[in-house]
Amino acid sequence: MIEITPELVRQLIHSQFPKWKELTIAPVEKSGHDNRTYRLGNDMTIRLPSHERYASAVKKEMTWLPVFKPLLSLPIPAPVAEGEPTEEYPLPWSINRWIEGETVSHDNIVDLNTFAEDLANFLTELEAIDASEGIPAGIQNFHRGGNLAVYDSDTRSVIDGLFGQYDQKLLLEIWDLALATRYESTPLWLHGDVAVGNLLVQDGRLCGVIDFGTMGVGDPSSDLVMAWNFFNDTSRDIFLGRMNADPDMINRARGWALWKALITYAWNEPDTESSNWGKRVIDVIIRDYNSL
């Protein structure tokens, strides 16, 4: 990881965009893991990849977000400028328009069912955009939209280590079901990281979607993980129904959610926020699966 400090960010702005050197620069409270985000004045944000494996996202967003923007009914980041690598910070970076809103939580939305509909409507709009020249899922976006089997070894290894904590046979059944089918329809655009940290709320409603760094073209099932990560039984059914997800799509989506929950639970220190989040999602997935 590259150490990114306010001093470094200020230096980058002063040297490459001196017209904005008088604007305030302040870290955003929930800055994310793959990128560090700073507020630039009142109307812009500075977005810097934290590692070289996330750097390709800058060019993707600069290229595709202007294409997406007029075709979506909710605000998404609007690129303003692209920063150049330096000796102190050797990666490309970007400046985007600020989007007002709070990170979504169960406390700041008016109605979970309405939120499920709003998110499904946004993703449906995204999937409707012509993807014929889009970037195929793969290493560039950590295989979101690609074949979930690339994470088979990690997933089985984690399940193997959960002896006495979970019904391992049941977890393997859910996982094997996720791997049993492949997406065979026309590849579609997907966001790649539909998660709480990338969804903004204002006046209780979804008002914006950010961080398209893991966007790609392929199987959109990985965009449906909020069904288990955030929604309850009723809103989950609404969300998956609005997405016209068939049983195979749901099984693959559940697999994506299970993989992420398992590694987050097992690869973080016990009783940390991340590990506890992973356990909660595993529990939701098991409860939902057993109710079928």
Side-chain angles (χ1 to χ4, degrees):
M1 291 291 181
I2 299 173
E3 183 180 5
I4 300 171
T5 64
E7 291 72 26
L8 172 62
V9 177
R10 191 169 291 109
Q11 178 185 339
L12 290 171
I13 292 295
H14 281 218
S15 62
Q16 298 189 33
F17 301 102
K19 63 182 177 180
W20 294 322
K21 67 180 182 181
E22 302 302 326
L23 297 179
T24 57
I25 295 173
V28 172
E29 180 182 356
K30 296 183 178 180
S31 185
H33 176 268
D34 299 356
N35 298 271
R36 299 290 179 265
T37 305
Y38 284 76
R39 190 88 178 257
L40 178 61
N42 294 322
D43 303 319
M44 293 179 286
T45 62
I46 308 164
R47 179 173 161 85
L48 306 102
S50 61
H51 191 279
E52 63 182 354
R53 62 177 169 266
Y54 308 124
S56 66
V58 174
K59 183 61 70 176
K60 276 198 303 183
E61 291 189 324
M62 297 293 294
T63 300
W64 286 104
L65 292 182
V67 175
F68 293 170
K69 189 174 178 58
L71 302 174
L72 298 170
S73 57
L74 290 176
I76 62 172
V80 175
E82 182 175 357
E84 298 293 329
T86 67
E87 286 189 11
E88 294 75 20
Y89 181 77
L91 302 176
W93 51 285
S94 61
I95 298 174
N96 300 280
R97 291 291 174 197
W98 172 260
I99 301 174
E100 290 293 342
E102 299 178 285
T103 301
V104 67
S105 72
H106 286 107
D107 296 326
N108 64 12
I109 54 177
V110 172
D111 180 77
L112 199 54
N113 295 345
T114 301
F115 184 79
E117 293 175 356
D118 290 346
L119 180 57
N121 289 341
F122 175 85
L123 293 176
T124 300
E125 291 177 350
L126 179 63
E127 291 178 5
I129 297 173
D130 180 15
S132 59
E133 297 183 13
I135 306 162
I139 294 174
Q140 60 88 13
N141 73 336
F142 304 95
H143 302 282
R144 301 300 199 281
N147 188 354
L148 182 56
V150 297
Y151 295 117
D152 187 47
S153 177
D154 286 344
T155 302
R156 293 183 189 278
S157 176
V158 171
I159 293 174
D160 188 55
L162 295 179
F163 179 77
Q165 299 179 57
Y166 282 100
D167 182 340
Q168 294 166 295
K169 184 178 179 181
L170 177 62
L171 291 176
L172 287 172
E173 180 180 315
I174 297 171
W175 180 245
D176 286 337
L177 197 59
L179 299 185
T181 63
R182 294 288 299 274
Y183 183 73
E184 296 179 351
S185 300
T186 302
L188 302 176
W189 275 112
L190 57 135
H191 178 278
D193 192 13
V194 181
V196 166
N198 295 328
L199 303 174
L200 302 179
V201 169
Q202 200 167 36
D203 299 325
R205 298 286 296 272
L206 180 66
C207 73
V209 179
I210 61 174
D211 193 352
F212 283 72
T214 48
M215 75 172 91
V217 168
D219 173 8
S221 63
S222 60
D223 269 359
L224 306 184
V225 295
M226 285 282 284
W228 299 273
N229 292 355
F230 190 75
F231 294 127
N232 60 20
D233 293 347
T234 302
S235 55
R236 181 182 310 118
D237 288 343
I238 290 172
F239 176 63
L240 294 174
R242 287 295 184 102
M243 294 304 302
N244 294 314
D246 63 24
D248 288 343
M249 177 77 75
I250 292 173
N251 287 337
R252 292 195 302 274
R254 189 189 295 111
W256 279 103
L258 180 63
W259 159 72
K260 186 60 178 289
L262 285 169
I263 63 171
T264 305
Y265 173 54
W267 292 356
N268 286 283
E269 290 295 320
D271 285 328
T272 58
E273 181 180 356
S274 294
S275 181
N276 289 339
W277 175 88
K279 186 179 189 308
R280 282 195 302 274
V281 176
I282 295 169
D283 293 343
V284 169
I285 291 171
I286 290 174
R287 189 168 60 249
D288 173 56
Y289 183 74
N290 282 334
S291 71
L292 299 176

